[in-house]
Amino acid sequence: MSRFFSEKHNSLTAYTPGEQPKNREYIKLNTNESPFAPSKGVLEAVREQAELLNLYSDPECTELNKIAASVFGVDTDRILMTNGSDEILNFAFMAFGDKYHPFAFPDITYGFYPVFAKLNGVPYKEIPLKPDFSVDVADYENIGMNIVIANPNAPTGLILSLSEVERIVVTNPDNVVIIDEAYIDFGGESAIRLTDRYDNLLVTRTFSKSYSLAGARLGFGIGAKSLIADLNTIKYSTNPYNVNRMTMAAGVAALKDNGYYMNNCKTIIENREWTSKELKKLGFTVTDSMTNFIFAKSDKIGGKELYLSLREKGVLVRHFDNPIITDYNRITVGTRAQMETLLETVKTILEKGNE
Ligand code: PMP
């Protein structure tokens, strides 16, 4: 820390992203990326825009908002595009949180929420999950705080039904409820259609998982016009050109190729179900994930030990140093071939442990 770092950030512990090692080739199942390349349309659109990089991007994201509005069935003034969904989540903490408007979220969830809260000086309450890792809706009813819930949740993979989400929204009319749908394309029911009925609901989405654009950094929020207007005030006070030209064009092209991506999601779901079944045969406990990752613990080997052994053998998964979930690993669902290698490697590790 330099002598100049503001006192207000003294106690800030930054978010730690999943490792992106450069030292060797890994089967990378640790950051929930898509194993599928972007569609050809995306590559062409990005190439075209690369030639125009001397010009600023459109701060209003006009074309992208237009196509997103038609795909997601809302008006363009109810969408805000951002630099990954991390950015809209940060904007939301900035816009709606302060010492009188704290946030509540589960104790086991996306690790960035407490970081955004601390960064923005927003008090927060972490609410324990039930022993089976599900969110107890009753904990959030009439809570009188802003709420952010990843649905499906990460890293547990478990989902709340649309009626449960609505219950939380309805019982907190004077607080903002943010539903982070980063993984919703892998099996869940989106709350977007509730956003025209409730002025306190913000749904956030990302192109990083189902649209194979993690490296482009594109996310968005859908909510009432008034919420989106507030978030725009934050955006125009932070970085009006938050979505660059190439990414904006990639987003348009990806939505035009929606069928390709939704088909990839189907493949991921099939691979998830198959891998979960195989892991269970090996004695793993596997949550009922509705995402592009599997959350699993072995009855034979500790979570950290398995993570380290897999890593040593060239397969990267994600282990969290949190005592509640220390027995578990989060395994991104990749191609069938990647999943077969994962399972073979797991078998080798377990057999060695038996020797
Ligand atoms: N929400 C959740 C629950 C996530 O797991 C992630 C991915 N790390 C994000 C939001 C952010 O994704 P991105 O910024 O790539 O859109």
Side-chain angles (χ1 to χ4, degrees):
M1 194 193 301
S2 81
R3 293 180 286 134
F4 310 105
F5 199 43
S6 168
E7 218 174 77
K8 66 177 186 260
H9 298 312
N10 258 350
S11 65
L12 190 63
T13 311
Y15 176 72
T16 316
E19 51 190 327
Q20 304 282 1
K22 316 272 181 302
N23 58 334
R24 67 181 267 199
E25 282 276 311
Y26 283 96
I27 294 190
K28 238 185 125 285
L29 307 175
N30 68 329
T31 47
N32 298 343
E33 289 141 327
S34 171
F36 303 111
S39 58
K40 288 212 174 66
V42 165
L43 302 183
E44 273 162 33
V46 168
R47 214 169 285 130
E48 256 173 44
Q49 289 303 315
E51 296 189 22
L52 296 169
L53 282 176
N54 53 317
L55 303 174
Y56 281 112
S57 57
D58 170 14
E60 290 173 17
C61 297
T62 313
E63 209 191 332
L64 179 53
N65 279 343
K66 207 165 131 201
I67 186 161
S70 89
V71 170
F72 298 104
V74 298
D75 293 337
T76 51
D77 56 8
R78 298 219 288 107
I79 304 179
L80 177 63
M81 291 288 165
T82 53
N83 193 313
S85 57
D86 282 338
E87 187 176 57
I88 194 147
L89 290 165
N90 189 27
F91 284 177
F93 275 87
M94 260 193 242
F96 308 119
D98 57 42
K99 64 179 174 185
Y100 307 107
H101 300 94
F103 268 72
F105 44 81
D107 62 342
I108 306 290
T109 190
Y110 185 32
F112 227 138
Y113 303 153
V115 180
F116 289 138
K118 283 189 196 139
L119 176 67
N120 294 296
V122 178
Y124 60 92
K125 182 175 177 187
E126 292 176 293
I127 298 179
L129 294 177
K130 289 200 261 188
D132 66 357
F133 294 150
S134 62
V135 168
D136 191 342
V137 174
D139 289 338
Y140 295 85
E141 287 176 9
N142 304 300
I143 194 169
M145 294 184 207
N146 292 327
I147 294 166
V148 56
I149 291 179
N151 200 46
N153 197 10
T156 62
L158 299 179
I159 194 161
L160 291 174
S161 69
L162 195 56
S163 59
E164 289 173 308
V165 169
E166 188 166 13
R167 183 95 204 110
I168 294 173
V169 176
V170 171
T171 57
N172 291 284
D174 298 323
N175 289 101
V176 178
V177 178
I178 301 161
I179 301 296
D180 175 352
E181 293 190 346
Y183 300 101
I184 198 73
D185 286 327
F186 302 99
E189 198 179 355
S190 174
I192 287 177
R193 67 189 173 83
L194 300 180
T195 58
D196 56 1
R197 259 184 283 154
Y198 300 104
D199 72 351
N200 62 326
L201 171 62
L202 178 71
V203 175
T204 62
R205 298 285 280 262
T206 181
F207 281 74
S208 296
K209 325 286 176 186
S210 44
Y211 289 94
S212 299
L213 284 177
R217 314 303 303 125
L218 185 61
F220 60 101
I222 292 185
K225 210 171 136 177
S226 51
L227 285 186
I228 295 298
D230 294 343
L231 292 163
N232 259 310
T233 302
I234 301 292
K235 162 185 151 158
Y236 281 95
S237 308
T238 312
N239 181 8
Y241 309 105
N242 61 337
V243 180
N244 75 69
R245 263 180 183 279
M246 293 185 294
T247 294
M248 213 180 289
V252 172
L255 290 176
K256 281 185 185 158
D257 290 336
N258 213 30
Y260 165 76
Y261 294 102
M262 291 307 115
N263 213 31
N264 288 345
C265 289
K266 255 173 64 189
T267 306
I268 294 292
I269 292 168
E270 282 163 17
N271 293 350
R272 178 186 74 208
E273 296 307 308
W274 179 77
T275 311
S276 299
K277 209 170 72 204
E278 294 299 312
L279 283 171
K280 283 179 191 164
K281 283 186 202 161
L282 296 175
F284 279 80
T285 302
V286 182
T287 63
D288 205 0
S289 171
M290 295 292 259
T291 64
N292 68 339
F293 56 82
I294 290 166
F295 196 52
K297 76 166 175 184
S298 166
D299 59 354
K300 301 183 185 72
I301 183 172
K304 183 131 193 195
E305 199 186 341
L306 177 60
Y307 154 73
L308 289 172
S309 303
L310 282 169
R311 191 175 197 282
E312 199 230 334
K313 293 184 172 359
V315 181
L316 266 190
V317 299
R318 185 112 194 236
H319 179 261
F320 296 92
D321 267 329
N322 176 330
I324 303 173
I325 52 172
T326 191
D327 294 339
Y328 283 77
N329 279 294
R330 191 193 69 186
I331 306 163
T332 303
V333 178
T335 60
R336 175 71 182 239
Q338 288 177 320
M339 295 292 99
E340 281 168 7
T341 307
L342 164 82
L343 287 162
E344 284 313 311
T345 316
V346 168
K347 274 183 209 161
T348 310
I349 293 166
L350 295 183
E351 276 158 20
K352 220 161 161 213
N354 283 338
E355 274 166 14

